[in-house]
Amino acid sequence: MRRGAPSRERAATLQVLVQLRVAAGFNQTALAARLGITQSEVSKFERGERSLDERRLRAWLAALNVDGTSFVRELDRVVGRAEACMD
């Protein structure tokens, strides 16, 4: 069974994770190698087919050399922009 579309916040989280990966100069294969998973798994996480728990999110950010504060700041910016478009 296919899942429905991710919530706005979850969609924003996925968007930010992809943006951070690209900004760090990694393709999915390179990130997967750093995380010890397959490229297919990275793709599933980025599409929202698999959920990132806190432990995995921390590992993901560490693999990209991104601190949690920067991640949250960017996420707040993206969510705020999406909410402004909805008004």
Side-chain angles (χ1 to χ4, degrees):
M1 180 187 303
R2 271 187 76 103
R3 288 183 166 165
S7 70
R8 188 176 337 156
E9 292 81 11
R10 185 163 181 223
T13 299
L14 301 175
Q15 177 185 342
V16 169
L17 289 174
V18 172
Q19 288 173 347
L20 291 172
R21 174 179 56 76
V22 171
F26 291 104
N27 60 25
Q28 289 181 343
T29 303
L31 177 58
R34 288 187 136 207
L35 293 170
I37 61 176
T38 66
Q39 176 276 325
S40 176
E41 288 176 290
V42 170
S43 178
K44 288 176 184 177
F45 283 118
E46 288 185 350
R47 289 192 320 259
E49 292 179 12
R50 293 192 63 191
S51 296
L52 283 168
D53 60 16
E54 182 183 348
R55 180 185 58 82
R56 201 174 287 270
L57 176 60
R58 287 176 183 268
W60 194 288
L61 295 175
L64 296 175
N65 297 315
V66 173
D67 65 277
T69 302
S70 297
F71 170 72
V72 171
R73 188 177 304 123
E74 181 62 14
L75 182 58
D76 285 345
R77 187 186 69 76
V78 170
V79 169
R81 184 176 50 192
E83 288 175 353
C85 291
M86 301 299 278
D87 292 338

XYZ file of all heavy atoms in Angstrom:
677
model
N 0.833 -1.175 0.000
C 0.000 0.000 0.000
C 0.881 1.243 0.000
O 1.834 1.338 0.753
C -0.891 -0.009 1.248
C -1.784 1.192 1.315
S -2.718 1.363 2.863
C -3.597 -0.161 2.918
N 0.532 2.201 -0.843
C 1.290 3.454 -0.905
C 0.838 4.397 0.186
O -0.342 4.489 0.496
C 1.072 4.126 -2.255
C 2.063 3.692 -3.284
C 1.878 4.535 -4.533
N 2.446 5.850 -4.344
C 3.596 6.227 -4.855
N 4.308 5.398 -5.544
N 4.042 7.445 -4.680
N 1.778 5.097 0.719
C 1.468 6.118 1.715
C 0.971 7.367 1.017
O 1.281 7.612 -0.138
C 2.726 6.493 2.489
C 3.184 5.448 3.432
C 4.379 5.978 4.161
N 4.664 5.142 5.297
C 5.791 5.172 5.956
N 6.724 5.996 5.601
N 5.984 4.392 6.975
N 0.237 8.188 1.767
C -0.214 9.467 1.237
C 0.945 10.452 1.180
O 2.071 10.141 1.557
N 0.663 11.629 0.702
C 1.683 12.671 0.623
C 2.154 13.028 2.029
O 1.370 13.032 2.969
C 1.112 13.908 -0.055
N 3.455 13.323 2.168
C 3.954 13.694 3.499
C 3.363 15.023 3.951
O 2.973 15.855 3.139
C 5.466 13.803 3.294
C 5.700 13.878 1.845
C 4.489 13.321 1.158
N 3.282 15.209 5.267
C 2.799 16.479 5.806
C 3.713 17.604 5.331
O 4.833 17.374 4.883
C 2.791 16.428 7.332
O 4.120 16.419 7.818
N 3.223 18.815 5.448
C 4.015 19.971 5.022
C 5.350 20.029 5.748
O 6.394 20.275 5.147
C 3.214 21.245 5.292
C 3.846 22.474 4.710
C 3.034 23.725 4.890
N 1.630 23.441 5.090
C 0.785 24.257 5.699
N 1.191 25.401 6.172
N -0.486 23.948 5.852
N 5.329 19.767 7.069
C 6.564 19.814 7.850
C 7.526 18.696 7.431
O 8.723 18.910 7.312
C 6.263 19.723 9.347
C 5.559 20.936 9.902
C 4.052 20.943 9.643
O 3.502 19.894 9.210
O 3.427 21.985 9.858
N 6.966 17.510 7.221
C 7.818 16.394 6.807
C 8.381 16.644 5.415
O 9.556 16.385 5.152
C 7.035 15.093 6.837
C 7.911 13.901 6.543
C 7.263 12.611 6.975
N 8.164 11.517 6.699
C 7.795 10.372 6.184
N 6.526 10.144 5.927
N 8.671 9.426 5.953
N 7.554 17.174 4.523
C 8.020 17.502 3.174
C 9.146 18.533 3.238
O 10.140 18.427 2.514
C 6.868 18.004 2.311
N 8.999 19.519 4.136
C 10.043 20.535 4.298
C 11.324 19.907 4.830
O 12.425 20.245 4.374
C 9.559 21.643 5.233
N 11.198 18.972 5.764
C 12.376 18.288 6.309
C 13.113 17.545 5.203
O 14.343 17.636 5.086
C 11.963 17.301 7.420
O 11.329 18.032 8.467
C 13.163 16.544 7.965
N 12.372 16.826 4.382
C 12.985 16.080 3.284
C 13.655 17.031 2.292
O 14.766 16.769 1.823
C 11.937 15.215 2.585
C 11.240 14.186 3.469
C 10.136 13.480 2.698
C 12.229 13.187 4.043
N 12.987 18.131 1.999
C 13.547 19.124 1.085
C 14.874 19.661 1.618
O 15.859 19.771 0.878
C 12.551 20.270 0.889
C 13.054 21.399 0.017
C 12.083 22.561 -0.044
O 10.906 22.429 0.280
N 12.570 23.716 -0.460
N 14.900 19.972 2.897
C 16.125 20.518 3.504
C 17.236 19.477 3.487
O 18.395 19.796 3.184
C 15.851 21.036 4.933
C 17.144 21.356 5.665
C 14.942 22.255 4.882
N 16.915 18.230 3.781
C 17.950 17.192 3.761
C 18.563 17.040 2.372
O 19.778 16.893 2.228
C 17.379 15.857 4.241
C 17.064 15.787 5.731
C 16.365 14.476 6.060
C 18.326 15.960 6.564
N 17.736 17.102 1.347
C 18.252 17.022 -0.024
C 19.115 18.247 -0.326
O 20.223 18.117 -0.871
C 17.111 16.874 -1.052
C 17.636 16.986 -2.477
C 16.386 15.543 -0.861
N 18.624 19.430 0.038
C 19.394 20.656 -0.202
C 20.754 20.607 0.490
O 21.773 20.994 -0.101
C 18.621 21.878 0.284
C 17.434 22.237 -0.556
C 16.607 23.352 0.054
O 16.762 23.722 1.217
N 15.688 23.887 -0.731
N 20.772 20.136 1.726
C 22.031 20.049 2.464
C 22.985 19.045 1.820
O 24.188 19.294 1.742
C 21.765 19.671 3.921
C 21.070 20.736 4.763
C 20.696 20.166 6.128
C 21.940 21.972 4.909
N 22.438 17.933 1.352
C 23.284 16.934 0.683
C 23.922 17.525 -0.569
O 25.131 17.411 -0.781
C 22.476 15.687 0.325
C 23.283 14.675 -0.496
C 22.520 13.430 -0.834
N 21.275 13.624 -1.537
C 21.165 13.920 -2.841
N 22.252 14.095 -3.583
N 19.977 14.039 -3.397
N 23.111 18.179 -1.376
C 23.614 18.771 -2.613
C 24.630 19.870 -2.304
O 25.694 19.944 -2.932
C 22.444 19.295 -3.474
C 22.932 20.109 -4.657
C 21.571 18.123 -3.944
N 24.316 20.722 -1.321
C 25.235 21.806 -0.943
C 26.570 21.271 -0.440
O 27.611 21.899 -0.641
C 24.588 22.696 0.113
N 26.541 20.102 0.192
C 27.776 19.486 0.687
C 28.561 18.804 -0.430
O 29.670 18.337 -0.214
C 27.452 18.480 1.785
N 27.960 18.738 -1.622
C 28.658 18.157 -2.768
C 28.555 16.645 -2.863
O 29.375 16.015 -3.522
N 27.548 16.072 -2.212
C 27.376 14.622 -2.224
C 26.223 14.217 -3.126
O 25.173 14.866 -3.116
C 27.064 14.089 -0.817
C 28.211 14.190 0.138
C 28.225 15.181 1.106
C 29.258 13.295 0.082
C 29.272 15.283 2.000
C 30.310 13.385 0.974
C 30.320 14.386 1.933
N 26.415 13.138 -3.869
C 25.272 12.500 -4.504
C 24.761 11.445 -3.528
O 25.343 11.234 -2.459
C 25.634 11.914 -5.882
C 26.717 10.854 -5.811
O 26.920 10.198 -4.797
N 27.422 10.687 -6.916
N 23.670 10.784 -3.874
C 23.098 9.800 -2.959
C 24.058 8.650 -2.684
O 24.125 8.153 -1.557
C 21.777 9.256 -3.513
C 20.659 10.256 -3.475
C 19.359 9.688 -4.008
O 19.330 8.665 -4.694
N 18.257 10.358 -3.695
N 24.808 8.243 -3.673
C 25.733 7.127 -3.505
C 26.837 7.471 -2.509
O 27.185 6.656 -1.644
C 26.336 6.715 -4.865
O 25.260 6.390 -5.755
C 27.281 5.545 -4.737
N 27.382 8.678 -2.614
C 28.447 9.092 -1.696
C 27.925 9.210 -0.268
O 28.595 8.793 0.683
C 29.053 10.417 -2.154
N 26.731 9.765 -0.112
C 26.150 9.868 1.226
C 25.880 8.477 1.788
O 26.170 8.208 2.959
C 24.864 10.695 1.213
C 24.132 10.807 2.550
C 25.025 11.418 3.630
C 22.850 11.600 2.392
N 25.357 7.603 0.958
C 25.080 6.228 1.399
C 26.348 5.555 1.914
O 26.320 4.880 2.952
C 24.473 5.424 0.254
N 27.443 5.745 1.212
C 28.712 5.145 1.637
C 29.126 5.667 3.008
O 29.599 4.902 3.861
C 29.797 5.430 0.607
N 28.936 6.947 3.245
C 29.278 7.531 4.549
C 28.382 7.011 5.660
O 28.801 6.910 6.800
C 29.177 9.057 4.505
C 30.295 9.685 3.709
C 30.243 11.184 3.831
N 31.627 11.601 4.052
C 31.993 12.688 4.683
N 31.096 13.509 5.177
N 33.258 12.985 4.837
N 27.116 6.715 5.308
C 26.158 6.243 6.301
C 26.182 4.729 6.480
O 25.566 4.214 7.416
C 24.737 6.677 5.906
C 24.459 8.174 5.950
C 23.122 8.481 5.308
C 24.508 8.679 7.383
N 26.835 4.029 5.565
C 26.865 2.573 5.639
C 25.553 1.934 5.214
O 25.183 0.875 5.728
N 24.845 2.597 4.298
C 23.597 2.064 3.761
C 23.683 2.103 2.239
O 24.679 2.557 1.682
C 22.358 2.858 4.270
C 22.415 4.332 3.834
C 22.242 2.756 5.791
C 21.174 5.146 4.221
N 22.638 1.672 1.566
C 22.650 1.683 0.103
C 22.106 2.997 -0.438
O 21.386 3.726 0.260
C 21.792 0.534 -0.469
O 20.424 0.776 -0.130
C 22.245 -0.818 0.058
N 22.430 3.264 -1.689
C 21.893 4.449 -2.366
C 20.373 4.377 -2.416
O 19.690 5.387 -2.260
C 22.476 4.552 -3.781
C 21.923 5.690 -4.617
C 20.618 5.338 -5.315
O 20.407 4.205 -5.733
N 19.731 6.317 -5.436
N 19.851 3.184 -2.601
C 18.404 2.997 -2.641
C 17.754 3.426 -1.325
O 16.684 4.046 -1.324
C 18.077 1.525 -2.942
O 16.698 1.304 -2.901
N 18.407 3.121 -0.205
C 17.874 3.534 1.093
C 17.891 5.054 1.238
O 16.935 5.640 1.745
C 18.661 2.879 2.228
C 18.389 1.397 2.358
C 19.239 0.757 3.425
O 20.468 0.645 3.214
O 18.672 0.387 4.468
N 18.966 5.696 0.797
C 19.017 7.159 0.846
C 17.859 7.727 0.038
O 17.148 8.630 0.483
C 20.373 7.700 0.321
C 20.327 9.214 0.137
C 21.502 7.318 1.267
N 17.634 7.188 -1.138
C 16.542 7.639 -1.985
C 15.193 7.479 -1.285
O 14.352 8.388 -1.325
C 16.542 6.867 -3.300
O 15.469 7.255 -4.115
N 14.987 6.357 -0.641
C 13.719 6.119 0.065
C 13.530 7.098 1.211
O 12.416 7.590 1.440
C 13.651 4.682 0.568
C 13.441 3.689 -0.552
C 13.470 2.272 -0.064
C 13.343 1.310 -1.243
N 13.432 -0.083 -0.819
N 14.596 7.403 1.942
C 14.500 8.398 3.012
C 14.162 9.762 2.421
O 13.285 10.465 2.922
C 15.798 8.485 3.810
C 16.005 7.363 4.784
C 17.081 6.514 4.655
C 15.122 7.162 5.836
C 17.283 5.480 5.557
C 15.317 6.134 6.748
C 16.406 5.290 6.601
N 14.855 10.146 1.344
C 14.640 11.470 0.758
C 13.253 11.621 0.130
O 12.736 12.731 0.047
C 15.718 11.767 -0.282
C 17.068 12.028 0.337
C 18.139 12.441 -0.640
O 17.918 12.361 -1.876
O 19.218 12.853 -0.175
N 12.655 10.540 -0.311
C 11.303 10.587 -0.875
C 10.226 10.431 0.188
O 9.041 10.521 -0.107
C 11.131 9.494 -1.937
C 11.913 9.766 -3.208
C 11.506 8.836 -4.345
N 11.273 7.462 -3.950
C 12.131 6.445 -4.117
N 13.303 6.668 -4.672
N 11.822 5.222 -3.737
N 10.627 10.152 1.414
C 9.663 9.996 2.498
C 9.063 8.611 2.595
O 8.091 8.404 3.311
N 9.638 7.654 1.884
C 9.142 6.279 1.949
C 9.605 5.572 3.218
O 9.006 4.582 3.616
C 9.594 5.489 0.721
C 8.950 5.964 -0.559
C 9.422 5.204 -1.774
O 10.086 4.143 -1.626
O 9.136 5.663 -2.887
N 10.685 6.061 3.804
C 11.185 5.556 5.084
C 11.380 6.753 5.993
O 11.755 7.826 5.555
C 12.515 4.814 4.900
C 12.344 3.542 4.114
C 13.549 2.677 4.160
N 13.823 2.224 5.520
C 14.951 1.615 5.870
N 15.891 1.394 4.985
N 15.135 1.226 7.112
N 11.142 6.545 7.271
C 11.266 7.632 8.252
C 12.650 7.663 8.864
O 13.250 6.621 9.136
C 10.230 7.441 9.362
O 8.936 7.555 8.848
N 13.114 8.874 9.100
C 14.378 9.074 9.802
C 14.074 9.265 11.280
O 13.401 10.224 11.655
C 15.089 10.330 9.287
C 15.812 10.236 7.963
C 16.194 11.628 7.480
C 17.036 9.372 8.088
N 14.555 8.346 12.105
C 14.418 8.564 13.543
C 15.531 9.517 13.984
O 16.385 9.912 13.187
C 14.444 7.241 14.313
C 15.725 6.449 14.124
O 16.753 7.003 13.657
O 15.713 5.246 14.430
N 15.510 9.899 15.246
C 16.487 10.880 15.730
C 17.926 10.406 15.553
O 18.793 11.166 15.120
C 16.233 11.205 17.200
C 17.189 12.241 17.749
C 16.985 12.525 19.220
O 15.967 12.098 19.792
O 17.870 13.174 19.797
N 18.179 9.148 15.859
C 19.529 8.601 15.735
C 20.018 8.676 14.290
O 21.131 9.110 14.007
C 19.545 7.149 16.220
C 20.900 6.469 16.143
C 20.816 4.993 16.523
N 19.893 4.232 15.697
C 20.204 3.734 14.495
N 21.394 3.933 13.977
N 19.322 3.043 13.811
N 19.155 8.297 13.369
C 19.543 8.300 11.957
C 19.681 9.728 11.430
O 20.564 10.015 10.636
C 18.543 7.510 11.138
C 19.128 7.054 9.817
C 18.202 6.140 9.065
N 18.067 4.819 9.592
C 18.827 3.789 9.255
N 19.832 3.956 8.417
N 18.604 2.599 9.758
N 18.816 10.633 11.887
C 18.930 12.032 11.476
C 20.261 12.618 11.942
O 20.945 13.313 11.187
C 17.766 12.854 12.030
C 17.823 14.359 11.744
C 17.833 14.648 10.252
C 16.653 15.061 12.429
N 20.645 12.318 13.166
C 21.931 12.815 13.683
C 23.093 12.275 12.848
O 24.027 13.015 12.519
C 22.115 12.424 15.140
C 21.254 13.210 16.096
C 21.437 12.686 17.526
N 20.591 13.369 18.460
C 20.957 14.445 19.141
N 22.159 14.949 18.991
N 20.114 15.016 19.983
N 23.037 10.996 12.493
C 24.082 10.395 11.665
C 24.107 11.045 10.284
O 25.181 11.313 9.727
C 23.857 8.888 11.545
N 22.930 11.303 9.731
C 22.803 11.931 8.411
C 23.467 13.309 8.424
O 24.266 13.630 7.544
C 21.322 12.051 8.086
C 20.949 12.354 6.672
C 21.107 13.527 6.004
C 20.303 11.463 5.752
N 20.589 13.434 4.743
C 20.090 12.181 4.557
C 19.870 10.145 5.845
C 19.476 11.607 3.458
C 19.253 9.585 4.741
C 19.060 10.300 3.567
N 23.127 14.115 9.439
C 23.700 15.457 9.541
C 25.212 15.394 9.758
O 25.956 16.173 9.162
C 23.016 16.247 10.653
C 21.534 16.558 10.433
C 20.951 17.248 11.664
C 21.300 17.372 9.175
N 25.661 14.467 10.589
C 27.099 14.325 10.831
C 27.823 13.945 9.544
O 28.917 14.453 9.270
C 27.346 13.286 11.923
N 27.228 13.067 8.752
C 27.844 12.648 7.489
C 27.986 13.828 6.532
O 28.902 13.859 5.707
C 27.016 11.537 6.842
N 27.085 14.796 6.658
C 27.136 15.992 5.811
C 27.918 17.132 6.455
O 28.021 18.221 5.879
C 25.719 16.470 5.496
C 24.850 15.513 4.686
C 23.428 16.067 4.562
C 25.445 15.254 3.312
N 28.435 16.904 7.667
C 29.146 17.942 8.423
C 28.255 19.157 8.681
O 28.689 20.306 8.550
C 30.440 18.363 7.717
C 31.419 17.225 7.621
O 31.641 16.504 8.589
N 31.987 17.046 6.443
N 26.999 18.887 9.042
C 26.030 19.941 9.338
C 25.635 19.813 10.803
O 25.311 18.720 11.261
C 24.776 19.798 8.440
C 23.691 20.779 8.849
C 25.145 19.965 6.973
N 25.667 20.920 11.540
C 25.246 20.857 12.938
C 23.730 20.987 13.031
O 23.071 21.501 12.116
C 25.945 21.938 13.771
C 25.549 23.333 13.358
O 26.131 23.852 12.389
O 24.636 23.883 13.994
N 23.186 20.511 14.115
C 21.742 20.505 14.315
C 21.122 21.887 14.267
O 20.020 22.065 13.748
N 21.819 22.872 14.796
C 21.293 24.237 14.798
C 21.115 24.763 13.383
O 20.089 25.372 13.061
C 22.223 25.171 15.601
O 22.343 24.665 16.928
C 21.699 26.590 15.638
N 22.079 24.506 12.527
C 21.978 24.947 11.130
C 20.823 24.252 10.427
O 20.095 24.871 9.645
C 23.278 24.658 10.381
O 24.335 25.376 10.939
N 20.656 22.970 10.718
C 19.556 22.214 10.129
C 18.210 22.807 10.545
O 17.345 23.067 9.714
C 19.651 20.746 10.540
C 18.435 19.944 10.185
C 18.163 19.609 8.867
C 17.553 19.530 11.166
C 17.024 18.883 8.537
C 16.428 18.792 10.851
C 16.163 18.474 9.532
N 18.030 23.048 11.843
C 16.766 23.579 12.345
C 16.513 24.976 11.796
O 15.385 25.316 11.414
C 16.729 23.566 13.888
C 15.526 24.323 14.419
C 16.732 22.137 14.394
N 17.546 25.787 11.707
C 17.397 27.137 11.171
C 16.904 27.084 9.722
O 15.977 27.799 9.338
C 18.732 27.880 11.254
C 18.638 29.349 10.905
C 19.962 30.085 11.073
N 20.476 29.930 12.425
C 21.676 29.419 12.723
N 22.491 29.027 11.774
N 22.064 29.312 13.971
N 17.507 26.219 8.917
C 17.098 26.091 7.514
C 15.687 25.512 7.413
O 14.886 25.950 6.597
C 18.093 25.227 6.744
C 17.768 25.064 5.275
C 17.761 26.362 4.481
O 18.262 27.399 4.962
O 17.222 26.348 3.351
N 15.368 24.554 8.251
C 14.033 23.974 8.260
C 12.991 25.035 8.614
O 11.943 25.132 7.951
C 13.974 22.811 9.249
C 12.649 22.070 9.341
C 12.234 21.506 7.994
C 12.749 20.963 10.388
N 13.270 25.850 9.618
C 12.358 26.937 9.995
C 12.160 27.908 8.836
O 11.046 28.385 8.589
C 12.866 27.692 11.217
C 12.691 26.928 12.510
O 11.934 25.934 12.524
O 13.323 27.322 13.511
N 13.227 28.191 8.113
C 13.132 29.100 6.962
C 12.231 28.511 5.882
O 11.343 29.187 5.363
C 14.526 29.384 6.402
C 14.553 30.444 5.310
C 15.931 30.591 4.690
N 16.309 29.425 3.910
C 15.829 29.145 2.687
N 14.931 29.929 2.132
N 16.235 28.081 2.031
N 12.419 27.242 5.568
C 11.628 26.598 4.517
C 10.165 26.478 4.943
O 9.261 26.764 4.148
C 12.224 25.212 4.163
C 11.293 24.414 3.270
C 13.575 25.395 3.491
N 9.915 26.080 6.183
C 8.535 25.966 6.663
C 7.874 27.338 6.682
O 6.727 27.488 6.259
C 8.484 25.305 8.059
C 7.096 25.427 8.671
C 8.906 23.847 7.974
N 8.593 28.352 7.120
C 8.042 29.697 7.147
C 7.707 30.202 5.756
O 6.663 30.831 5.542
N 8.544 29.887 4.785
C 8.287 30.295 3.401
C 7.048 29.590 2.872
O 6.203 30.186 2.221
C 9.508 29.975 2.540
C 9.382 30.457 1.109
C 10.633 30.221 0.330
N 11.065 28.844 0.505
C 12.245 28.365 0.147
N 13.134 29.160 -0.397
N 12.560 27.110 0.329
N 6.906 28.303 3.188
C 5.735 27.533 2.735
C 4.461 28.076 3.368
O 3.428 28.203 2.715
C 5.908 26.055 3.060
N 4.537 28.424 4.651
C 3.348 28.966 5.335
C 2.978 30.328 4.769
O 1.787 30.642 4.651
C 3.608 29.042 6.833
C 3.616 27.665 7.493
C 3.987 27.686 8.957
O 4.385 28.766 9.464
O 3.881 26.634 9.585
N 3.967 31.120 4.401
C 3.686 32.445 3.826
C 2.967 32.292 2.485
O 2.094 33.101 2.154
C 4.976 33.237 3.656
N 3.304 31.268 1.747
C 2.653 31.021 0.462
C 1.206 30.587 0.643
O 0.384 30.749 -0.254
C 3.407 29.965 -0.339
S 5.013 30.535 -0.910
N 0.898 30.003 1.797
C -0.444 29.507 2.059
C -1.387 30.621 2.496
O -2.587 30.474 2.430
C -0.417 28.415 3.136
C 0.444 27.217 2.792
S -0.102 26.359 1.338
C -1.391 25.366 2.052
N -0.829 31.739 2.974
C -1.663 32.858 3.457
C -2.281 33.624 2.328
O -2.008 33.630 1.238
C -0.824 33.805 4.332
C -0.419 33.122 5.628
O -1.097 32.161 6.026
O 0.563 33.560 6.236
